[in-house]
Each structure stands twice: as structure tokens, then as C-alpha cells.
Amino acid sequence: SQTIHQWPATLVQPVGSPLSLECTVEGTSNPNLYWYRQAAGRGLQLLFYSVGIGQISSEVPQNLSASRPQDRQFILSSKKLLLSDSGFYLCAWSTNRMQETQYFGPGTRLLVL
Amino acid sequence: AQSVTQPDIHITVSEGASLELRCNYSYGATPYLFWYVQSPGQGLQLLLKYFSGDTLVQGIKGFEAEFKRSQSSFNLRKPSVHWSDAAEYFCAVGTIAGGFKTIFGAGTRLFVKA
């Protein structure tokens, strides 16, 4: 069966520090991968999605970036965190078929101080 | 542009009472519609989805949703709510524009009182 992992589960970082959140998927090949941010009391905002290795699409301008160095690995990064980057970050995957269900990881709670 | 509206930020129902969570979408083509549930501090889990066919779809945990094209709605229902249903519920529409993306509503938080 397929599983999706995210780490760390919780992270507290100072403003201006770098960020690296990792997401890995097991049990499937060539998944579509997604990064979402969920701010307190708000819905999900799609940040990045990827349909293959090295293929990243950005949905909103921001100081975050994403990379997909391997088929089942998706990394969210920042060189310098802002206070506004605080939130709950969710990684998700779906099969490479149109309109398939997305399966979400447990999330990373990021607090920038 | 595609969008999803969940008009109720939060809803409180008594345990055992019926539930309806509203969802309206805006999408030019035939929509692919989803309802997800999120327990506190966790990821999202799919409750049900509609792609085509019967407009009344059954999901897990006793939930169902009805697609009404004329009203651009996909409301989620449950005949009798349990305390464990307290969570946040997200309606979403799948789009094909630019790739396999899903647009989520802002969510409705459900509180269940004894």
C-alpha cells in the first residue's frame, strides 16, 4: 500500500533562517506531488505541484521554492523565512491520472518567530 | 476562474442530529468534486468524490453528497452526527487547466455538542 511521510512534524525557526521540509511517498511510481499551506483558520493554498522529476509549477509568488530530486521525494525550501511563512504545510500525492484523489501526509507545523 | 465557496465557517450540531455542509463551485466544464475531512493537527482524508453518473454519492463514515448542476452545489450530508465527526471539512473541485490540480474551499469547522 502507499504511504506518504513528512518531516519534521513540528518546527520552530527564527525569522531569516533557512527551511527544508521533506516529503516522501512509498508504494507508487511517478506520482503527482503537491505542497499546500494551511494558515490558521483558513483553507488550503496550493504552493507547488510536480508531475515528474525536476518539473515544478509554482502557484503563488513567495519566498519559498520546491524541488523534486527523485521520483518520490518532494522538498519545500526557503533561504530566509518570514513571519508570514508560519502555518501548517501539507504534502500530497495523486496518481498520474486525471482528477484522481489526493492523499495527504500528516503535515508539518511551522512556527516562525 | 475556478473557485469553491463554503459559506459556513463553522457549524454546531447536537449529537444525533442531521448535518448538511454547503459547497458551491464555479467551473466552466463538468466538475470533479471532492469532500475531505481533517481532524485537528492532521492531514486530510477523502470522504467521497463525484466524477460522473449518479448525482448522489456515498462516502465513508456514513456521509453522502449530492451534485446539483443547476445550483452549482455539492452539499455534504449525514443523517445522524456522532461526536467523532467533529473536524474541519473541505470541499474541492478538480481542474484540468495546467495540470491535475485541486482547488479547495476555505473549510467548515464542525462542532458537535452532547
Side-chain angles (χ1 to χ4, degrees):
Chain A
S1 64
Q2 303 89 357
T3 55
I4 178 169
H5 304 280
Q6 284 187 247
W7 65 89
T10 305
L11 190 59
V12 181
Q13 291 284 92
V15 169
S17 64
L19 173 74
S20 180
L21 303 182
E22 189 161 345
C23 171
T24 59
V25 181
E26 296 177 357
T28 187
S29 297
N30 194 30
N32 292 332
L33 295 171
Y34 310 83
W35 276 112
Y36 292 89
R37 176 169 57 203
Q38 185 178 23
R42 302 182 65 180
L44 276 72
Q45 179 186 36
L46 179 62
L47 301 176
F48 301 94
Y49 71 97
S50 170
V51 298
I53 295 175
Q55 300 178 62
I56 309 294
S57 296
S58 174
E59 288 297 298
V60 293
Q62 58 210 332
N63 71 321
L64 299 171
S65 62
S67 61
R68 185 170 178 175
Q70 300 179 41
D71 181 45
R72 290 169 288 179
Q73 184 184 31
F74 205 24
I75 298 172
L76 183 69
S77 304
S78 174
K79 293 182 179 178
K80 287 186 177 182
L81 283 169
L82 306 173
L83 288 174
S84 57
D85 291 325
S86 294
F88 193 49
Y89 289 83
L90 289 161
C91 180
W93 74 272
S94 68
T95 61
N96 197 3
R97 295 200 301 268
M98 191 177 298
Q99 310 315 326
E100 278 298 319
T101 302
Q102 292 190 17
Y103 299 92
F104 286 80
T108 294
R109 187 162 302 283
L110 172 65
L111 180 60
V112 182
L113 301 175
Chain B
Q2 304 90 348
S3 66
V4 178
T5 302
Q6 293 181 249
D8 304 305
I9 296 173
H10 55 79
I11 283 182
T12 300
V13 300
S14 298
E15 190 169 18
S18 63
L19 170 70
E20 182 169 37
L21 301 182
R22 295 183 292 165
C23 172
N24 294 96
Y25 67 89
S26 173
Y27 186 54
T30 300
Y32 299 83
L33 297 162
F34 306 82
W35 274 100
Y36 288 84
V37 61
Q38 183 183 33
S39 297
Q42 297 186 22
L44 279 69
Q45 180 186 23
L46 180 74
L47 283 176
L48 48 79
K49 60 186 178 183
Y50 169 79
F51 286 174
S52 64
D54 192 348
T55 56
L56 183 64
V57 293
Q58 303 296 322
I60 63 172
K61 305 183 180 185
F63 285 92
E64 67 177 25
E66 186 171 12
F67 168 58
K68 293 186 177 180
R69 184 186 298 275
S70 61
Q71 299 178 20
S72 297
S73 69
F74 189 56
N75 295 347
L76 182 72
R77 300 193 294 251
K78 186 170 184 178
S80 178
V81 169
H82 188 263
W83 65 266
S84 60
D85 293 325
E88 188 148 22
Y89 293 80
F90 292 92
C91 181
V93 60
T95 79
I96 60 173
F100 315 118
K101 292 187 291 184
T102 304
I103 297 172
F104 288 83
T108 297
R109 182 165 294 278
L110 173 66
F111 297 95
V112 181
K113 58 183 181 181

